[in-house]
Every structure is written in structure tokens, then in C-alpha cells.
Amino acid sequence: MKLSTQLTASREPAALAAHATQLEAAGLDLLWSPELYGHDAVSTLGFVAGRTSQVQLMTGIIPLYSRTPALIAQTAATLAALSEDRFVLGLGSSGPQVIEGWHGVAFDRPIARTRDTIDICRKVWRGERLVHDGDTISLPSNGGMGLGKALRFMGPTPTRRVPIALAALGPKNVELAAAEAEMWQTVHFVPELADQVWGGSLASGTARRDTSMPPLQIMAGGIVAIGDGAHIKAARRAARVLIGYSVGGMGARSKNFYKDLLARYGWEDEAQQIQDLFLAKRHEEAYAAVPDEYIELANLIGDESTVRQRIRAHEAAGVTHLDLQLHDPDPVAAIEKIREWTLGDPAVPPVHSAIAVAPNPRE
């Protein structure tokens, strides 16, 4: 099992460089940088690429609507070259509040746009003349002056296939990830309930997967705090606030992917209560309504025995990249400990069969 964690540009440049190299030395396999409406992920990773030598670097995520597919492909090819083939292209649709509010672009047909973007990126990386007749994008464009020309990427194409990590929560999007992407990036993951929520989508997508592609990788995890000190209480509070804010405020009342996910896990009443309380600005009550069972199952918080059990549950659910949201007083020591626990673990079986083995605690 590989280990990953988030890296942001909120630090001073020297501190960011030192932090990245420290995480790499501790045994992290992958660092990813988010992109919402603060610092962009690409600049951050370009900076970090020059300060690291082994760790993989991933956008987590480039919102599909924020750039043209050809620009996304150019960016990925550039970062792959600058990092000497350590780059993973993390893509996702984001949501209508960000896309329409920040970028001013209509959030329409996200599944079709994702498929078109993946196809175009791979055509660019193969050095093909860029002709595409998709459901959402046509190249050359049929609009404008009608003078568009089918072009090829001017620089050297990537020496290795650039992996695509697709962030997905909905059934159709997860199916697309299993069919077309090298990795599926998910959040708020409950290993024991994963088959109930995503098993059918993963199986359907895997059945359509090109046999030349390797098995789908899965990135999932949660907040990490090991031991029995005050930091354990603080980590549980952070987990409660994170899911409470996601379910309550990261989306409109009529369109919230995180609320839908919590409901699909089986906490439908709790999901509705959290949203109602949060939108009524009763935030502390919304956080208190987050199920304790969810906090325990979706995170890696507690003594060593508990955390090791949660690692085994993630592995049994097919997780190949354990994502660590570090809330430990000594993050590097926590990484090193988890790295030691996961070294030498047997290979994870294919996702579409492995994800069904974890027992469902709610039955």
C-alpha cells in the first residue's frame, strides 16, 4: 500500500520546499496539491518538482471547466517533463457553486466533459493531430471564424503514459473512473460500506476497461492521529467539522454531492439534519449531528491497534493509496510508523473483487 498526503502553497517558499522534502524522506509515495479558489495546484507542483526527486506529484484536482482540455494536456506534459515522469494528472468536475460562481462557466454535462477531456489529453500525449468530435467538445471548433486548424503538440511527448486520477463520488462518474482512469480519488471513504455504495459502479466500469490498462488504483483515507493524548480529541473534532461542513455547506440545498454520499452510506436522516442545521447557521449543532460511527470508520484516529485495524479495513476494500490527513503532533513520525506497518503487505487484489470483502458494520 502506498501513502499520500496533501500539500498546499500556503507556506513560505522555503518552508514549502523543506516540508515537501521532509515528507518525501519520511516515506510518502505521492504528494497532491488541491485547487479551489486560492493558490493554483499547477504552480505549487512545478515549484515542488524542482525540490524533490522521487515522490509522485498529483493535482488534486484540476477542475475540468477551468481550462480547455488541450491546455490541461499541455500542462500535464510539462509537469511530467519537469518532474521526470513523476506527475499524475488529477481531474475532477468540482461543483456548480465553484464552477459557475468562480469561473463563470456553466456546469453542464460533467460526465461527457470528463470523457472528452480524457480522450483529448491522451491524443495530445500520443502526438496525434488534434481532431475530436465529442459530446461536449469539437476540435477544430465549428464556431468562431471557422479557421481552426488541427494541430499537434509542439514539444516532446511524454516518455511514459501520464496517469490520470479521476476524483469521483457519483455512480456514473465512478464507473467512468473504473473504465478510463488509472486511479480513482475519493473522499469521506468508509471501507466497510464501499461495496454498498460503489461496488456496482466499479464492476460495470471494470468490465469496460481496456485490457491493456493496469488494475484501477484507489486513493482514499482520512484524518490521522495516533495515541491517546489531547490530539485525539482534536482530530475527532476536525473530522466532525470536515464532514459537517461538506454535507451542510459545500453545495446548494438541492445539489450537494457530499450530502448524497452520506445518505447513500445509510445515514440519510443524519445527512438531512446536518444540512438543515448548517444552512440555518446552527453550525455547532450541525457538527454534533455527524454520526459517531462515521467518525470512527472513515478516519484513522486512536491508539496503534485501532489505526492498524483501520489500515487493514482500507486495504481489504481495495485501497492502494492510503491518503493521510495528518493531525498528529509529530506528522513525520506518524508517517514513518504507518510506512513501517504497511511495508511488506501483500499485493492488493483487483478492485472489483476486493471491495466486497469488508464486512458491513451497519447490517
Side-chain angles (χ1 to χ4, degrees):
M1 181 181 283
K2 295 184 177 181
L3 304 181
S4 65
T5 196
Q6 176 179 328
L7 189 70
T8 67
S10 58
R11 301 168 182 262
E12 292 296 319
L16 176 61
H19 185 56
T21 55
Q22 189 178 40
L23 292 173
E24 181 178 53
L28 261 292
D29 299 286
L30 187 149
L31 297 175
W32 58 274
S33 182
E35 182 173 298
L36 296 169
Y37 33 95
H39 291 117
D40 76 278
V42 173
S43 300
T44 302
L45 294 182
F47 175 82
V48 172
R51 272 85 178 161
T52 55
S53 60
Q54 296 180 333
V55 67
Q56 283 191 299
L57 305 172
M58 186 181 89
T59 48
I61 56 169
I62 286 180
L64 293 167
Y65 298 87
S66 66
R67 302 158 173 85
T68 66
L71 178 56
I72 292 173
Q74 288 176 264
T75 300
T78 303
L79 283 172
L82 293 176
S83 66
E84 298 182 306
D85 295 317
R86 290 184 287 130
F87 178 65
V88 178
L89 176 60
L91 292 174
S93 61
S94 187
Q97 285 192 321
V98 173
I99 297 306
E100 297 182 357
W102 183 252
H103 294 290
V105 178
F107 186 84
D108 60 344
R109 307 181 70 186
I111 303 296
R113 188 177 181 94
T114 302
R115 187 181 297 108
D116 282 341
T117 300
I118 291 173
D119 288 347
I120 290 169
C121 282
R122 288 181 173 150
K123 287 177 180 179
V124 170
W125 299 333
R126 290 194 297 264
E128 296 178 8
R129 194 173 295 277
L130 194 50
V131 176
H132 185 79
D133 185 18
D135 292 328
T136 64
I137 300 164
S138 294
L139 295 170
S141 172
N142 295 322
M145 298 178 67
L147 300 177
K149 182 179 180 181
L151 303 171
R152 287 190 176 94
F153 184 57
M154 290 179 65
T157 56
T159 57
R160 299 178 186 173
R161 183 182 177 105
V162 178
I164 291 176
L166 188 59
L169 293 177
K172 291 297 183 182
N173 216 7
V174 172
E175 182 177 341
L176 179 62
E180 301 289 344
E182 278 78 14
M183 182 186 291
W184 168 41
Q185 182 187 7
T186 187
V187 294
H188 305 317
F189 187 80
V190 179
E192 291 85 350
L193 303 178
D195 185 58
Q196 165 187 312
V197 174
W198 290 301
S201 296
L202 289 168
S204 297
T206 301
R208 297 190 288 108
R209 191 176 183 84
D210 191 315
T211 56
S212 67
M213 293 182 67
L216 180 71
Q217 306 287 293
I218 295 179
M219 176 186 288
I223 288 177
V224 176
I226 307 170
D228 58 4
H231 66 288
I232 298 297
K233 182 177 180 181
R236 290 197 176 102
R237 162 71 179 179
R240 190 174 295 282
V241 170
L242 176 62
I243 190 65
Y245 176 73
S246 299
V247 171
M250 286 187 69
R253 181 180 291 277
S254 61
K255 193 71 172 179
N256 183 311
F257 303 129
Y258 305 102
K259 179 197 170 192
D260 294 345
L261 174 59
L262 195 64
R264 288 162 61 205
Y265 276 139
W267 289 293
E268 187 170 0
D269 292 342
E270 291 89 340
Q272 187 61 60
Q273 182 184 18
I274 292 166
Q275 186 186 63
D276 289 343
L277 289 168
F278 194 93
L279 294 181
K281 301 189 182 305
R282 295 158 62 183
H283 295 166
E284 287 301 323
E285 292 177 71
Y287 304 149
V290 175
D292 292 339
E293 186 181 22
Y294 167 82
I295 300 295
E296 298 304 318
L297 294 176
N299 298 285
L300 299 92
I301 303 172
D303 58 27
E304 290 192 2
S305 176
T306 298
V307 174
R308 294 181 78 161
Q309 191 278 330
R310 298 317 304 150
I311 293 172
R312 289 194 296 272
H314 279 77
E315 185 178 36
V319 173
T320 60
H321 289 67
L322 185 65
D323 194 53
L324 311 177
Q325 300 173 42
L326 297 159
H327 282 251
D328 203 89
D330 190 342
V332 171
I335 292 169
E336 291 173 340
K337 191 170 290 187
I338 293 172
R339 176 77 290 166
E340 180 182 347
W341 293 340
T342 56
L343 279 176
D345 286 348
V348 177
V351 169
H352 64 278
S353 60
I355 204 164
V357 304
N360 185 338
R362 298 178 61 78
E363 289 181 346

